[in-house]
């Protein structure tokens, strides 16, 4: 059974800091990995999707890396802003017979203060 | 392109009452998912439809939860009778299915059972 763990559970940083969110998964036979953002009371917004054949993806100030062999992914946020405050969720897509099934971590609650 | 629509956005009921949630996926998306997200946790898959057939309902509490997808488009999720532990956000997602699995999420329905 796939298990996804995110560290830290919560993070509070001053504006302007660069930060790293960590995600680990127990079964390396994943198809792809996706990072989401969730604002309070809202649904999920996709940030980055990394295909299994890729090592990283970038969008603006966000960079996500994937190391399937070690079961790890990191989300790097450069020059953090108060508007980045949200919960960040990591999710892995299963391969094989469970093709497309998405398993989520519990999330990292990020607070960026001015 | 319109996103995934869900209603209602919020619902408060007493325990032992029944409740229903509605989801309209992105047009043309064959696969539809219902997730339950308890406060402080990542979303957990309840049921997955491919067109109007059930692909995976292994984590659906079938004694009280039911779901259907009419004509392979809209879907409803029902809880009867509700328990206090059903308080959560219920998220609907859809994907093209088959060889394109990336899931797109709706805004969710926040259920409070008192």
């Amino acid at each position: 059974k796939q298990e996804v763990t995110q560290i830290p559970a919560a993070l509070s940083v001053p504006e302007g800091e660069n930060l790293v969110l960590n995600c680990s998964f127990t079964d390396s036979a994943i198809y792809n990995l996706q990072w989401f953002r969730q604002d309070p009371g809202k649904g999920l917004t996709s940030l980055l999707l990394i295909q299994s054949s890729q090592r990283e993806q970038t969008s603006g100030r966000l960079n996500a890396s994937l190391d399937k062999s070690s079961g790890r992914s990191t989300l790097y946020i450069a020059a953090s802003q108060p508007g980045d405050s949200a919960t960040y969720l990591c999710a892995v897509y299963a391969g094989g017979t469970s093709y497309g099934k998405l398993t989520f971590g519990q999330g990292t609650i990020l607070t960026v203060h001015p | 392109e319109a996103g995934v629509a869900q209603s209602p956005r919020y619902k408060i009921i007493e325990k032992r009452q029944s409740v229903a949630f509605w989801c309209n996926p992105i047009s043309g998306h064959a696969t539809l998912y219902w997730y339950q997200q308890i406060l402080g946790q990542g979303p957990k898959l309840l049921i997955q439809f491919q067109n109007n057939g059930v692909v995976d309902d292994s984590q659906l509490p079938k004694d009280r939860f039911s779901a259907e997808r009419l004509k392979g488009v809209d879907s409803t999720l029902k809880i009867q009778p509700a328990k206090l532990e059903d308080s959560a956000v219920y998220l609907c997602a859809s994907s093209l299915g088959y060889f394109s699995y990336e899931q797109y999420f709706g805004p969710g329905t926040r259920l409070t059972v008192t």
Side-chain angles (χ1 to χ4, degrees), chain B residues 6-27:
Chain B
Q6 290 187 246
S7 68
R9 293 295 313 279
Y10 306 92
K11 190 74 176 180
I12 301 174
I13 62 172
E14 295 181 352
K15 59 183 179 182
R16 292 187 288 274
Q17 287 186 326
S18 63
V19 63
F21 312 127
W22 173 82
C23 173
N24 180 242
I26 293 173
S27 178

Side-chain angles (χ1 to χ4, degrees), chain B residues 21-41:
Chain B
F21 312 127
W22 173 82
C23 173
N24 180 242
I26 293 173
S27 178
H29 280 197
T31 311
L32 185 146
Y33 312 79
W34 282 102
Y35 291 86
Q36 179 192 58
Q37 185 178 22
I38 294 172
L39 187 65
Q41 299 180 17

Side-chain angles (χ1 to χ4, degrees), chain A residues 11-21 61-62 75-81 84 110 112:
Chain A
L11 186 61
S12 180
V13 300
E15 181 177 6
E17 274 204 7
N18 301 324
L19 53 98
V20 175
L21 308 182
R61 295 182 294 107
L62 305 179
L75 178 67
Y76 176 82
I77 303 177
S80 58
Q81 303 171 358
D84 294 331
L110 173 64
V112 181

Side-chain angles (χ1 to χ4, degrees), chain A residues 13-108:
Chain A
V13 300
E15 181 177 6
E17 274 204 7
N18 301 324
L19 53 98
V20 175
L21 308 182
N22 296 292
C23 171
S24 62
F25 44 94
T26 55
D27 185 351
S28 62
I30 66 169
Y31 199 70
N32 293 318
L33 184 143
Q34 193 164 5
W35 284 91
F36 293 89
R37 169 184 172 138
Q38 186 173 32
D39 293 287
K42 306 288 187 180
L44 306 183
T45 300
S46 177
L47 296 174
L48 292 165
L49 183 146
I50 310 175
Q51 297 183 3
S52 58
S53 58
Q54 298 175 317
R55 296 290 297 228
E56 65 178 307
Q57 275 280 16
T58 298
S59 176
R61 295 182 294 107
L62 305 179
N63 175 274
S65 66
L66 172 63
D67 184 344
K68 285 180 60 178
S69 61
S70 66
R72 296 180 185 274
S73 176
T74 60
L75 178 67
Y76 176 82
I77 303 177
S80 58
Q81 303 171 358
D84 294 331
S85 298
T87 297
Y88 290 80
L89 292 159
C90 167
V92 297
Y93 285 90
T97 57
S98 298
Y99 180 79
K101 180 177 179 178
L102 202 55
T103 302
F104 284 86
Q106 78 280 18
T108 293

